[in-house]
Amino acid sequence: MSTHCCDHSHDDSSAPHHHQWTLAEVNALFALPFNDLLYLAHQVHRMNFKANEVQLSTLLNIKTGSCPENCSYCPQSAHYNTGLKKEPLMSLDTVLETAKRAKSAGASRFCMGAAWRSPRDADLDKVIEMIQAIKAEGLETCVTLGMLTPAQAHKLKVAGLDYYNHNIDTSEEHYKEIITTRTFQDRIETIENVRQAGINVCCGGIVGMGEEVEDRASMLMTLANMKEPPESVPINMLVKIEGTPLENNEAVDPFDFIRTIAVARILMPKSRVRLSAGRTAMSEEMQALCHFAGANSIFYGETLLTTENPVPAKDVAFFEKLGLTGI
Ligand code: SAM
Ligand code: DTB
Ligand code: SF4
């Protein structure tokens, strides 16, 4: 037991062995002058990572639309008419071809998303075949398939899955304004099932859903205070989708978004913080500041799940300008 964890008793083996952040502490970080916050975050970044390396993950949506959940931001929810063309589960061949192309373009991880509330066991078996084939190509694998039981998480671990993505999306307090078809606690349980199975956790959220700064602080605090913080923390800027309840939301102030990245870096020094959705709406200067603040991963490839992402050539040129190396 580390000495600063004085409020945990010695016989409590479930207690986290790292600093537990309070909301007041996290709010105080958000309230720092911009330069002070970025300087601090960049120091933490340098102490824990090579300052100019950025991990590259490529996404593929393997099953599109008709999702029974009502996530207010999502183009794939059956509750909203977003004009998205529905597609059943992709074939192994198509997925594998796309993964090979991602690898030759320079990605190190291939992430597959499916618009499910939770996978049916027959579908999970098909996804497992995809994971095994992609791993055989020498890529890391990540999937995001909705809620998982402990048995399903175990099956994915046995198949060799490296990461599972399941976001808390926002603060516990703001969550019910965004999704009502499942609870924040449901999200936490799946994350715990993934952790228990021994799979790396990819878990983050979205900025720009009408939340207060305190909600951003609370969301990051929840992630950082997990017994083991997620290895990968995607910070998305809301992509406004026509037909969803959030289509007319106010744009996030770029500095507030950069502050969120910086606070994530300080709270989770060893995690990869991913500058995720929303990059097509960001200037290069804004993205450069996100990397200075500690973002050291991106989604790389011309599409996210259903929306646009910068084309690889643009990211390659941008990395070249800044002297960043994609890994
Ligand atoms: N159905 C699964 C689930 O919800 O876990 C997997 C796919 S879901 C699309 C993965 C994540 O993408 C969501 O948790 C959310 O954080 C992010 N996302 C979806 N739509 C978005 C949008 N319009 N803007 C930003 N992030 C979005
Ligand atoms: C995450 O946090 N962001 C990704 C990934 N995990 C699965 C998805 C972003 C989706 C953006 C909207 C779309 O393209 O549909
Ligand atoms: Fe379904 Fe995931 Fe979209 Fe929510 S975020 S509607 S669970 S695909």
Side-chain angles (χ1 to χ4, degrees):
M1 178 77 47
S2 63
T3 46
H4 63 268
C5 275
C6 42
D7 49 350
H8 300 298
S9 67
H10 281 263
D11 55 4
D12 184 0
S13 60
S14 68
H17 286 231
H18 59 87
H19 178 68
Q20 292 292 288
W21 292 87
T22 65
L23 193 58
E25 285 171 335
V26 184
N27 279 330
L29 288 173
F30 272 99
L32 282 174
F34 189 75
N35 283 339
D36 293 347
L37 177 60
L38 258 69
Y39 181 63
L40 188 58
H42 190 69
Q43 282 179 312
V44 172
H45 182 45
R46 269 181 190 267
M47 279 177 347
N48 292 283
F49 288 97
K50 292 186 180 155
N52 299 303
E53 279 188 0
V54 178
Q55 187 272 332
L56 307 176
S57 287
T58 295
L59 279 170
L60 178 66
N61 209 28
I62 57 172
K63 187 266 171 184
T64 306
S66 310
C67 182
E69 305 282 356
N70 69 352
C71 311
S72 306
Y73 47 79
C74 187
Q76 304 198 69
S77 166
H79 296 255
Y80 318 121
N81 186 2
T82 63
L84 187 69
K85 191 167 174 286
K86 302 165 186 134
E87 299 284 355
L89 187 60
M90 255 181 209
S91 73
L92 174 60
D93 284 357
T94 314
V95 172
L96 192 56
E97 275 318 302
T98 316
K100 284 180 184 170
R101 268 186 275 127
K103 176 154 198 222
S104 52
S108 58
R109 190 178 308 158
F110 196 68
C111 311
M112 295 175 278
W116 290 321
R117 172 175 165 83
S118 52
R120 293 183 307 144
D121 285 337
D123 288 329
L124 194 68
D125 290 342
K126 291 184 190 157
V127 175
I128 282 173
E129 280 182 41
M130 297 173 188
I131 292 166
Q132 289 169 334
I134 294 162
K135 271 193 81 79
E137 296 297 323
L139 279 158
E140 289 183 324
T141 50
C142 177
V143 294
T144 177
L145 315 171
M147 295 190 273
L148 292 185
T149 63
Q152 289 177 320
H154 178 71
K155 231 171 147 180
L156 287 167
K157 172 66 186 176
V158 171
L161 180 70
D162 298 292
Y163 289 79
Y164 194 85
N165 167 250
H166 201 68
N167 291 340
I168 57 171
D169 283 338
T170 189
S171 67
E172 183 166 8
E173 299 75 25
H174 193 58
Y175 186 91
K176 51 195 169 303
E177 309 296 324
I178 305 298
I179 303 151
T180 59
T181 49
R182 49 163 161 61
T183 64
F184 192 79
Q185 192 50 38
D186 289 332
R187 282 314 256 188
I188 298 288
E189 273 166 29
T190 290
I191 296 157
E192 282 173 0
N193 293 342
V194 169
R195 178 58 80 204
Q196 282 294 318
I199 302 167
N200 291 308
V201 173
C202 173
C203 182
I206 308 177
V207 180
M209 300 198 296
E211 74 283 353
E212 304 289 331
V213 172
E214 187 152 313
D215 290 301
R216 294 174 193 154
S218 168
M219 172 178 90
L220 295 178
M221 184 184 76
T222 297
L223 296 170
N225 286 349
M226 287 177 178
K227 193 178 169 209
E228 286 178 79
E231 282 74 15
S232 164
V233 180
I235 306 292
N236 298 275
M237 187 171 84
L238 177 71
V239 179
K240 291 188 251 174
I241 311 283
E242 228 182 287
T244 64
L246 303 183
E247 66 176 332
N248 294 318
N249 262 36
E250 205 180 312
V252 181
D253 181 292
F255 297 111
D256 289 341
F257 185 86
I258 298 161
R259 281 190 172 93
T260 309
I261 297 270
V263 174
R265 167 49 66 228
I266 295 165
L267 262 53
M268 292 168 277
K270 307 271 183 211
S271 305
R272 277 215 183 257
V273 175
R274 181 172 307 114
L275 172 55
S276 302
R279 289 198 297 118
T280 54
M282 297 178 194
S283 69
E284 290 198 334
E285 292 86 343
M286 176 175 171
Q287 293 180 61
L289 278 173
C290 288
H291 290 301
F292 184 79
N296 57 356
S297 173
I298 58 166
F299 285 126
Y300 175 67
E302 61 196 21
T303 37
L304 291 166
L305 293 175
T306 68
T307 66
E308 284 186 344
N309 199 40
V311 294
K314 192 166 194 284
D315 281 335
V316 167
F318 170 67
F319 275 37
E320 181 79 12
K321 274 199 259 185
L322 297 189
L324 295 173
T325 307
I327 61 162

